[in-house]
mmCIF file of all heavy atoms in Angstrom:
data_model
loop_
_atom_site.group_PDB
_atom_site.id
_atom_site.type_symbol
_atom_site.label_atom_id
_atom_site.label_comp_id
_atom_site.label_asym_id
_atom_site.label_seq_id
_atom_site.Cartn_x
_atom_site.Cartn_y
_atom_site.Cartn_z
ATOM 1 N N PRO B 167 -32.229 -11.372 -60.989
ATOM 2 C CA PRO B 167 -30.986 -10.764 -60.548
ATOM 3 C C PRO B 167 -30.239 -10.127 -61.694
ATOM 4 O O PRO B 167 -30.530 -10.363 -62.857
ATOM 5 C CB PRO B 167 -30.194 -11.944 -59.988
ATOM 6 C CG PRO B 167 -30.695 -13.110 -60.764
ATOM 7 C CD PRO B 167 -32.125 -12.826 -61.081
ATOM 8 N N GLY B 168 -29.268 -9.404 -61.295
ATOM 9 C CA GLY B 168 -28.340 -8.555 -61.937
ATOM 10 C C GLY B 168 -27.804 -8.615 -63.320
ATOM 11 O O GLY B 168 -28.562 -8.473 -64.263
ATOM 12 N N PRO B 169 -26.519 -8.813 -63.501
ATOM 13 C CA PRO B 169 -25.848 -8.283 -64.680
ATOM 14 C C PRO B 169 -26.129 -9.109 -65.927
ATOM 15 O O PRO B 169 -25.260 -9.770 -66.471
ATOM 16 C CB PRO B 169 -24.375 -8.384 -64.304
ATOM 17 C CG PRO B 169 -24.314 -9.588 -63.430
ATOM 18 C CD PRO B 169 -25.639 -9.649 -62.715
ATOM 19 N N ALA B 170 -27.365 -9.086 -66.372
ATOM 20 C CA ALA B 170 -27.753 -9.904 -67.515
ATOM 21 C C ALA B 170 -27.363 -9.328 -68.868
ATOM 22 O O ALA B 170 -27.271 -10.101 -69.818
ATOM 23 C CB ALA B 170 -29.248 -10.150 -67.476
ATOM 24 N N PRO B 171 -27.144 -8.019 -69.045
ATOM 25 C CA PRO B 171 -26.976 -7.471 -70.396
ATOM 26 C C PRO B 171 -25.965 -8.220 -71.254
ATOM 27 O O PRO B 171 -26.235 -8.511 -72.419
ATOM 28 C CB PRO B 171 -26.508 -6.040 -70.135
ATOM 29 C CG PRO B 171 -27.092 -5.705 -68.813
ATOM 30 C CD PRO B 171 -27.133 -6.980 -68.044
ATOM 31 N N THR B 172 -24.846 -8.574 -70.700
ATOM 32 C CA THR B 172 -23.832 -9.227 -71.528
ATOM 33 C C THR B 172 -24.300 -10.593 -72.009
ATOM 34 O O THR B 172 -24.051 -10.987 -73.142
ATOM 35 C CB THR B 172 -22.520 -9.406 -70.729
ATOM 36 O OG1 THR B 172 -22.844 -10.010 -69.493
ATOM 37 C CG2 THR B 172 -21.835 -8.076 -70.507
ATOM 38 N N LEU B 173 -25.005 -11.299 -71.113
ATOM 39 C CA LEU B 173 -25.492 -12.622 -71.502
ATOM 40 C C LEU B 173 -26.563 -12.500 -72.589
ATOM 41 O O LEU B 173 -26.606 -13.290 -73.529
ATOM 42 C CB LEU B 173 -26.057 -13.351 -70.274
ATOM 43 C CG LEU B 173 -25.026 -13.681 -69.201
ATOM 44 C CD1 LEU B 173 -25.719 -14.252 -67.977
ATOM 45 C CD2 LEU B 173 -24.002 -14.675 -69.752
ATOM 46 N N ILE B 174 -27.419 -11.485 -72.430
ATOM 47 C CA ILE B 174 -28.470 -11.269 -73.430
ATOM 48 C C ILE B 174 -27.838 -10.970 -74.787
ATOM 49 O O ILE B 174 -28.222 -11.540 -75.820
ATOM 50 C CB ILE B 174 -29.401 -10.117 -72.997
ATOM 51 C CG1 ILE B 174 -30.166 -10.539 -71.730
ATOM 52 C CG2 ILE B 174 -30.354 -9.716 -74.114
ATOM 53 C CD1 ILE B 174 -30.876 -9.409 -71.014
ATOM 54 N N ILE B 175 -26.828 -10.119 -74.772
ATOM 55 C CA ILE B 175 -26.165 -9.752 -76.025
ATOM 56 C C ILE B 175 -25.513 -10.993 -76.646
ATOM 57 O O ILE B 175 -25.584 -11.224 -77.854
ATOM 58 C CB ILE B 175 -25.127 -8.637 -75.791
ATOM 59 C CG1 ILE B 175 -25.872 -7.339 -75.431
ATOM 60 C CG2 ILE B 175 -24.247 -8.434 -77.015
ATOM 61 C CD1 ILE B 175 -24.990 -6.266 -74.867
ATOM 62 N N ALA B 176 -24.893 -11.801 -75.778
ATOM 63 C CA ALA B 176 -24.256 -13.013 -76.298
ATOM 64 C C ALA B 176 -25.272 -13.931 -76.959
ATOM 65 O O ALA B 176 -25.050 -14.473 -78.047
ATOM 66 C CB ALA B 176 -23.550 -13.750 -75.155
ATOM 67 N N ALA B 177 -26.420 -14.056 -76.289
ATOM 68 C CA ALA B 177 -27.471 -14.924 -76.834
ATOM 69 C C ALA B 177 -27.977 -14.378 -78.172
ATOM 70 O O ALA B 177 -28.156 -15.123 -79.136
ATOM 71 C CB ALA B 177 -28.616 -15.030 -75.827
ATOM 72 N N LEU B 178 -28.198 -13.067 -78.205
ATOM 73 C CA LEU B 178 -28.656 -12.434 -79.428
ATOM 74 C C LEU B 178 -27.662 -12.638 -80.560
ATOM 75 O O LEU B 178 -28.023 -12.970 -81.699
ATOM 76 C CB LEU B 178 -28.876 -10.926 -79.193
ATOM 77 C CG LEU B 178 -30.181 -10.560 -78.457
ATOM 78 C CD1 LEU B 178 -30.209 -9.064 -78.165
ATOM 79 C CD2 LEU B 178 -31.380 -10.945 -79.322
#
Side-chain angles (χ1 to χ4, degrees):
Chain B
T172 50
L173 295 173
I174 294 167
I175 291 166
L178 282 174

